[in-house]
Amino acid sequence: MTVRAGILGATGAVGQRLIQLLEPHPDFEITALTASGDSAGKTYREAAKWRINIPIPETVAEMTVRETAPDDVPDDLDIIFSSLPSSVGERVEPGFCEAGYVVSSNSSNARADDDVPLTIPEVNADHIDLLEVQRDERGWDGALVKNPNCSTITMVPPLAALDDAFGLDRITVSTLQAVSGAGYSGVTSMEIIDNAIPHIGGEEKKMETESRKLLGSFDGAEVQWHDARVDASCNRIPTLDGHLENVWTDTTEDATVTAAAEALREYPTLDLPSSPDQLVHVYEEPDRPQPRLDRDKENGMAIAAGGIQATDDGLQFNCLAHNTMRGAAGASILNGELLLERGYI
Ligand SMILES: NC(=O)c1ccc[n+]([C@@H]2O[C@H](COP(=O)([O-])OP(=O)(O)OC[C@H]3O[C@@H](n4cnc5c(N)ncnc54)[C@H](OP(=O)(O)O)[C@@H]3O)[C@@H](O)[C@H]2O)c1
């Protein structure tokens, strides 16, 4: 079965990664692209300032970019991947779901809503069945599924592994985030070259809330958020792609470095088409992972971890993920693959 896929916000940083990953995908076929009114009516080649180091796929280059509205996309799309600015997503995504479309979205709107699954398939695939609650409550024929923020995705799989092994009482994280995380018009070169910015608007709150929902448990009716305290400090640095994070955890049970490394290495992956063979790669070298060296591991879909140390109250470690691949486009596609596997599309 070929699954007909549309992309909302197809010209942006995440939209381009969606095209890169969907064009060779075994199940999904790109059949519609949308963007803002400035791009609508142009061919994709004319509308998009393509910034990925492969050519624009020929199957996409001459497609006409559409307006971002349910009436402007084909009726027979099986799934829509959304990479719109969150203010736009908040305005238009519910209309697509009401019109019967299944939307797998990157935008931050609605991630904390009680009836919206926020999923990283390897960590909390069971939360996807929150869609039954969503359909009952909202009366939608379609559905809305979210992936978390890129900085949250980077740390949550290692944290899930450590939570399973030792229990987590407290999580503290400081990030070093790449400029592509802000989208193409997010940070100017005058702001970021020879600089670091110790503030990313709203990012800290997203990491603190989303990680507790992701690590929570679902009883078939609602998600009980994890009760660990989470504190985040977010920093923008002049790397292009790849978020590096320093994480401290207070563990419930005593943890050793060896047992922690084993828990991370052995944390299970899935058999979905975009799943990495190994979810968390653990480095022994104290100066790894590094963005330039380690962000592309397993087509940018693996998480890298290292620098594991025991502390008085638990563990300290570093982790890294490619923010527009694992942290955004790849995350939405994995959710799409999960929706397909579970019969929601
Ligand atoms: N970058 C990351 O690492 C990352 C990671 C996780 C999540 N996200 C989230 O993913 C979303 C997209 O991020 P991005 O970095 O790809 O942003 P971006 O580069 O700024 O791209 C935004 C896209 O949305 C379209 N758009 C803007 N205003 C619109 C409107 N009024 N109506 C319809 N389309 C509109 C743009 O089309 P035009 O080209 O026509 O303006 C473009 O296609 C955001 O919600 C972001 O928070 C990003």
Side-chain angles (χ1 to χ4, degrees):
M1 171 189 168
T2 300
V3 179
R4 292 166 58 85
I7 303 175
L8 312 183
T11 50
V14 177
Q16 295 188 15
R17 292 293 187 186
L18 281 165
I19 288 171
Q20 178 188 8
L21 293 175
L22 287 172
E23 201 274 334
H25 196 280
D27 299 319
F28 298 128
E29 182 190 354
I30 303 170
T31 51
L33 306 171
T34 85
S36 75
D38 292 344
S39 301
K42 298 177 181 166
T43 65
Y44 187 77
R45 195 192 299 282
E46 289 165 346
K49 200 157 181 191
W50 185 257
R51 291 175 169 90
I52 299 181
N53 61 353
I54 55 161
I56 303 178
E58 281 305 320
T59 49
V60 164
E62 301 308 321
M63 284 175 79
T64 301
V65 176
R66 300 162 185 258
E67 296 276 358
T68 303
D71 289 346
D72 288 286
V73 301
D75 291 339
D76 62 355
L77 292 180
D78 300 301
I79 186 164
I80 286 177
F81 295 101
S82 172
S83 57
L84 295 166
S86 54
S87 57
V88 183
E90 187 170 19
R91 187 161 46 78
V92 306
E93 286 176 350
F96 279 93
C97 301
E98 210 172 327
Y101 296 101
V102 173
V103 178
S104 174
S105 167
N106 265 289
S107 310
S108 61
N109 53 294
R111 284 183 188 146
D113 286 8
D114 288 345
D115 63 348
V116 174
L118 176 70
T119 47
I120 299 175
E122 297 94 335
V123 171
N124 64 337
D126 61 313
H127 291 204
I128 203 78
D129 292 330
L130 199 52
L131 286 180
E132 306 292 347
V133 178
Q134 185 186 95
R135 283 180 165 165
D136 276 356
E137 286 184 357
R138 305 203 188 201
W140 286 345
D141 291 329
L144 181 62
V145 174
K146 293 276 166 174
N147 56 261
N149 192 45
C150 43
S151 51
T152 310
I153 296 182
T154 304
M155 72 169 183
V156 164
L159 289 171
L162 299 178
D163 194 35
D164 286 355
F166 313 111
L168 296 179
D169 298 328
R170 186 170 180 176
I171 298 156
T172 307
V173 57
S174 177
T175 69
L176 301 126
Q177 298 183 220
V179 290
S180 62
Y184 284 136
S185 53
V187 189
T188 67
S189 54
M190 288 292 280
E191 288 174 292
I192 200 67
I193 292 173
D194 185 31
N195 205 10
I197 303 171
H199 172 73
I200 303 176
E203 194 87 350
E204 290 156 358
K205 184 80 179 157
K206 288 180 199 165
M207 293 190 82
E208 289 164 5
T209 55
E210 292 174 13
S211 54
R212 293 185 52 228
K213 186 173 179 185
L214 287 156
L215 294 169
S217 53
F218 177 55
D219 63 6
E222 59 183 4
V223 174
Q224 190 72 41
W225 291 27
H226 198 291
D227 57 11
R229 175 173 165 174
V230 184
D231 296 293
S233 167
C234 297
N235 303 280
R236 185 79 66 201
I237 62 160
T239 43
L240 194 55
D241 291 311
H243 292 347
L244 177 63
E245 302 179 0
N246 313 121
V247 186
W248 293 260
T249 60
D250 291 2
T251 54
T252 312
E253 292 169 21
D254 289 344
T256 64
V257 171
T258 307
E262 193 179 314
L264 293 174
R265 275 197 193 94
E266 292 185 356
Y267 192 72
T269 186
L270 293 176
D271 201 18
L272 297 171
S274 302
S275 306
D277 292 336
Q278 184 169 343
L279 180 56
V280 184
H281 291 252
V282 179
Y283 289 92
E284 303 293 340
E285 301 90 325
D287 60 351
R288 301 284 287 277
Q290 296 179 16
R292 209 174 53 205
L293 299 181
D294 302 313
R295 62 191 170 205
D296 293 324
K297 195 157 273 302
E298 299 215 43
N299 201 29
M301 291 300 287
I303 313 280
I308 306 169
Q309 296 177 57
T311 65
D312 286 349
D313 299 310
L315 294 160
Q316 175 184 350
F317 66 95
N318 304 318
C319 54
L320 170 93
H322 195 301
N323 53 293
T324 56
M325 299 289 264
R326 178 76 216 195
S332 296
I333 292 170
L334 264 180
N335 278 345
E337 293 167 356
L338 181 66
L339 288 164
L340 183 61
E341 187 196 69
R342 299 288 168 98
Y344 285 104
I345 48 177

